[in-house]
Amino acid sequence: MKALIFEKFGGPDVLHYQEIDSPQMGRDDILVEMKAIGLNFADVYRRKGNYHLAGNPPYICGYEGAGIVNRVGNNVTGIEVGDRIAFADVPYANAELVAVPKEKAIPLPDDISYETAASLLLQGLTAHYLTKDSYSIKNGDTALIHAAAGGVGQLLVQIIKILGGTVIGLTSSEEKRQAALSTGADHMFLYSDDWKKHVEDVTEGKGVDVVYESVGSTLMDSFEVTRIGGTVVFFGMAGGDPVSVDPRMLMDTSKTLTGGDLWNVLTSHEERVTRSHELFGWIQEGKLKVSEPTVFPLSEGAKAHEYLESRKSTGKVLLIP
């Protein structure tokens, strides 16, 4: 099979598309012929060597995608050759064939395309647990979303609106501001503005119920615009490490700081399927829209990495074998 591989850490130029051995299948595995693969910043970090990689080169990035079942292991029941499945947490996805453990296989409804599934799952499941588990959005809540025009941000905007919340978003450019407004954000401000003053004005001085904090370096700013008794959900640090938080501040303001990580949520087949199918249902009902992805052939994976790192994209980047 062909795969996008790298043998040393570095820039996009270390990526090569070449013939390698097909994956070894276990008795509980499904061999999937890939139709669409999601590209994520985690793949960039792995390529650069920021994330630990097990084993020896050649390394293969990718954790998210969708395709057709090509073969099933001897212990696999309930899944047949020809079935459509997707996954969010299976390694070595940047290849024509991927061995998927049965427990990580998510059945794909006929009216959800491979491209939609590969655009949705990692970021959609992240937005799902953030709004259901880290802080359960209630009707009437006001939420502030950092990087609201990003992949997770646009899905957060829509899910919070589905759940009855009001959305204030932050982003870095007018183009991205318009992109987030088009997904349903009630208010959008630029980081270059006096955004804390704007949030104060919109909330009539009260502050927001919850902040979804993915920048890191803005953590204390997020606390400033959170109401007494409100919550800051920390789930990323794209803008740099956060400062330490004084527990006395949390005590004095009755505010909560909580963290979130998808891998602590996707702990069973049932969790994966139940959460994914709520996302699929919202798409089928027209409540949740996935923005048009930017598509690259898997053979041009280096160009796709370059494009993702340029931060020009407002939607998902997909690789197609």
Side-chain angles (χ1 to χ4, degrees), residues 31 67-72 79-85 110 114:
L31 191 66
I68 299 174
V69 176
N70 179 283
R71 203 162 87 233
V72 298
I79 295 178
E80 299 179 352
V81 171
D83 284 356
R84 306 167 78 247
I85 71 142
D110 290 341
Y114 299 115

Side-chain angles (χ1 to χ4, degrees), residues 1-4 17-19 32-39 60-62 64-68 85 87 92-98 114-115 118 294-301 304 317-321:
M1 70 168 185
K2 289 269 181 64
L4 186 69
Y17 187 62
Q18 66 184 58
E19 193 79 27
V32 176
E33 180 185 333
M34 298 302 293
K35 296 297 182 183
I37 302 158
L39 181 62
I60 305 175
C61 285
E64 169 188 44
I68 299 174
I85 71 142
F87 57 83
Y92 318 126
N94 284 188
E96 292 178 323
L97 298 170
V98 178
Y114 299 115
E115 292 78 12
T294 303
V295 176
F296 291 85
L298 183 59
S299 58
E300 296 180 10
V317 177
L318 295 185
L319 301 169
I320 307 297

Side-chain angles (χ1 to χ4, degrees), residues 134-135 209-211 219 223 226-234 245 249-251 253-259:
S134 300
Y135 178 92
D209 297 292
V210 59
V211 179
L219 181 62
F223 273 113
T226 303
R227 68 166 172 82
I228 297 294
T231 299
V232 174
V233 181
F234 175 68
V245 175
M249 179 274 288
L250 300 177
M251 179 180 71
T253 60
S254 297
K255 295 179 184 179
T256 297
L257 172 62
T258 187

Side-chain angles (χ1 to χ4, degrees), residues 43-320:
D43 298 313
V44 171
Y45 302 147
R46 290 185 185 96
R47 188 204 74 219
K48 287 181 173 180
N50 301 126
Y51 284 5
H52 174 73
L53 289 173
N56 300 308
Y59 298 118
I60 305 175
C61 285
Y63 267 75
E64 169 188 44
I68 299 174
V69 176
N70 179 283
R71 203 162 87 233
V72 298
N74 294 338
N75 290 349
V76 174
T77 57
I79 295 178
E80 299 179 352
V81 171
D83 284 356
R84 306 167 78 247
I85 71 142
F87 57 83
D89 55 345
V90 179
Y92 318 126
N94 284 188
E96 292 178 323
L97 298 170
V98 178
V100 177
K102 185 193 172 186
E103 68 166 21
K104 297 188 176 183
I106 299 166
L108 195 56
D110 290 341
D111 55 351
I112 302 292
S113 71
Y114 299 115
E115 292 78 12
T116 295
S119 298
L120 173 72
L121 281 178
L122 267 176
Q123 294 173 340
L125 289 168
T126 297
H128 188 275
Y129 87 77
L130 288 171
T131 52
K132 296 280 191 139
D133 301 69
S134 300
Y135 178 92
S136 182
I137 294 288
K138 301 174 294 299
N139 191 49
D141 278 344
T142 298
L144 176 67
I145 303 172
H146 283 274
V152 173
Q154 289 192 27
L155 293 167
L156 273 174
V157 169
Q158 296 178 77
I159 292 173
I160 291 167
K161 296 300 292 182
I162 290 169
L163 298 174
T166 296
V167 173
I168 305 170
L170 299 172
T171 193
S172 58
S173 71
E174 181 59 30
E175 180 187 4
K176 290 185 176 183
R177 191 178 87 87
Q178 293 301 326
L181 285 169
S182 72
T183 63
D186 297 283
H187 310 276
M188 281 297 303
F189 304 119
L190 301 181
Y191 285 110
S192 56
D193 295 340
D194 186 357
W195 62 265
K196 288 187 285 185
K197 178 69 166 60
H198 289 315
V199 173
E200 183 182 345
D201 290 345
V202 167
T203 61
E204 299 178 343
K206 176 186 172 186
V208 298
D209 297 292
V210 59
V211 179
Y212 288 103
E213 168 63 71
S214 58
V215 176
S217 57
T218 54
L219 181 62
M220 298 316 295
D221 296 317
S222 293
F223 273 113
E224 281 187 48
V225 298
T226 303
R227 68 166 172 82
I228 297 294
T231 299
V232 174
V233 181
F234 175 68
F235 71 103
M237 41 194 168
D241 290 334
V243 298
S244 297
V245 175
D246 184 350
R248 292 171 300 181
M249 179 274 288
L250 300 177
M251 179 180 71
D252 292 343
T253 60
S254 297
K255 295 179 184 179
T256 297
L257 172 62
T258 187
D261 186 276
L262 182 59
W263 311 126
N264 297 326
V265 174
L266 297 186
T267 55
S268 69
H269 184 252
E270 183 182 11
E271 285 285 350
R272 292 178 183 89
V273 171
T274 301
R275 291 173 186 271
S276 298
H277 278 255
E278 184 159 28
L279 294 171
F280 294 152
W282 285 334
I283 289 175
Q284 290 163 329
E285 293 164 18
K287 295 178 179 177
L288 185 66
K289 291 183 169 51
V290 178
S291 60
E292 196 68 28
T294 303
V295 176
F296 291 85
L298 183 59
S299 58
E300 296 180 10
K303 288 183 181 176
H305 274 240
E306 273 179 31
Y307 180 70
L308 185 65
E309 286 186 270
S310 75
R311 301 207 179 247
K312 292 175 184 172
S313 61
T314 54
K316 190 76 173 187
V317 177
L318 295 185
L319 301 169
I320 307 297

